[in-house]
Amino acid sequence: MPHVIISGGSRGIGRAAVLLFADKGWSVTCLYNSTQPDVSDDICKIRCDVSDPASVSEAVRKAEERFGPVDCLISNAGISVKGLAQDFDANDYRRIMDTNFGGLFNLANAVIPGMVSRKCGVITAVSSMWGQTGASCEALYSASKGAVDAYVKSLAKELGPSGIRVNAVSPGVIETDMLRDFSSDDLEALKEDTPLGRLGSPVDVAKALFFLSSEASTFITGQIIGVNGGFLI
Ligand code: NDP
């Protein structure tokens, strides 16, 4: 069965993806940072700070020791910061860019050489609809996800001739810890702005990640696939 490595697998969207891929019989490596994942021992759990290139290459080495070459990468780990753009400083800038964009950069760099030599592989990033449209009071977060989208499209062009597909899912509002600062009124308003009339679940996003990683999407590359209930059309 294929080997998928999923960053930020301890909680939220990443955890739902870990469980879905494992349920489909894949060999799953779950990368976590500070939260020990509560998943079965069939899943390979490795601590890894995605913003640190050394931590990432060591994690990929250990994952390949257990399950062999990485067939699919899901770069999902991310953080959000809210506030007025002018109040962010250089430390905020580095933290969010190093995690949200740097995580993809570091993980992709660690798996691309093996994928190129085997002439196959799939890389899927978890971006955000705010990377496409921009969010007030989330300017840095939006910029980091815009960088993810541009990188995905560029990698798709660069790696397509090597048989590697690269895409992103771009979630809308998904019920995870990332929404913990939203009031119930805010969440109600977000639901009302969503044509499908509800917030997304981590499983909604995990299903799109599985589709993009699987044989069902063999001619899809360079795409940013919205999983947002119609919030952004
Ligand atoms: P959660 O806050 O529930 O989970 C975030 C995950 O990222 C955790 O597993 C966390 O690991 C991991 N993580 C954070 N920083 C690092 C790091 N430096 N190294 C490794 N892992 C790290 O968020 P979501 O599940 O909601 O978010 C997942 C992705 O989806 C993110 O990229 C986010 O931007 C994106 N997204 C989410 C939306 C939403 O509405 N929820 C909307 C659009 C996009 P640990 O717990 O071990 O620290």
Side-chain angles (χ1 to χ4, degrees):
M1 272 309 218
H3 176 192
V4 62
I5 188 161
I6 302 173
S7 71
S10 50
R11 293 186 285 118
I13 292 168
R15 178 180 156 77
V18 164
L19 296 178
L20 179 65
F21 279 80
D23 192 50
K24 300 281 186 188
W26 287 40
S27 300
V28 180
T29 295
C30 167
L31 303 182
Y32 66 96
N33 190 30
S34 51
T35 314
Q36 181 79 33
D38 175 20
V39 289
S40 104
D41 287 340
D42 295 340
I43 290 160
C44 174
K45 297 168 278 267
I46 301 173
R47 206 192 90 66
C48 169
D49 176 353
V50 296
S51 67
D52 173 4
S55 175
V56 168
S57 50
E58 179 61 5
V60 171
R61 191 191 62 72
K62 284 184 187 158
E64 292 192 326
E65 225 171 65
R66 165 114 183 235
F67 287 136
V70 174
D71 301 294
C72 293
L73 162 67
I74 309 270
S75 174
N76 160 75
I79 50 174
S80 68
V81 282
K82 293 190 181 55
L84 295 177
Q86 73 231 27
D87 292 338
F88 291 124
D89 62 18
N91 286 332
D92 297 315
Y93 168 78
R94 270 190 296 273
R95 196 167 64 89
I96 194 136
M97 290 304 287
D98 286 356
T99 306
N100 292 1
F101 175 62
L104 170 62
F105 176 78
N106 293 329
L107 283 160
N109 276 354
V111 300
I112 286 170
M115 289 181 173
V116 168
S117 69
R118 292 188 304 281
K119 291 240 169 257
C120 66
V122 186
I123 296 173
T124 311
V126 179
S127 186
S128 164
M129 66 176 174
W130 302 125
Q132 293 164 278
T133 188
S136 169
C137 296
E138 290 193 77
L140 263 185
Y141 177 77
S142 303
S144 71
K145 295 298 189 173
V148 166
D149 291 356
Y151 203 62
V152 159
K153 291 177 194 175
S154 304
L155 283 184
K157 290 180 181 173
E158 190 170 316
L159 299 175
S162 298
I164 299 162
R165 297 189 297 110
V166 189
N167 294 290
V169 298
S170 185
V173 187
I174 311 296
E175 285 187 284
T176 70
D177 293 344
M178 210 169 256
L179 300 190
R180 68 183 149 236
D181 296 336
F182 288 72
S183 69
S184 50
D185 285 351
D186 290 340
L187 294 176
E188 236 3 86
L190 288 165
K191 266 187 213 170
E192 276 169 26
D193 285 342
T194 306
L196 286 182
R198 66 172 176 88
L199 303 182
S201 72
V203 172
D204 289 321
V205 184
K207 286 192 281 196
L209 290 168
F210 186 76
F211 167 73
L212 287 173
S213 304
S214 74
E215 288 293 309
S217 61
T218 42
F219 203 49
I220 299 179
T221 197
Q223 304 304 307
I224 313 296
I225 308 284
V227 184
N228 58 38
F231 193 102
L232 177 68
I233 294 177

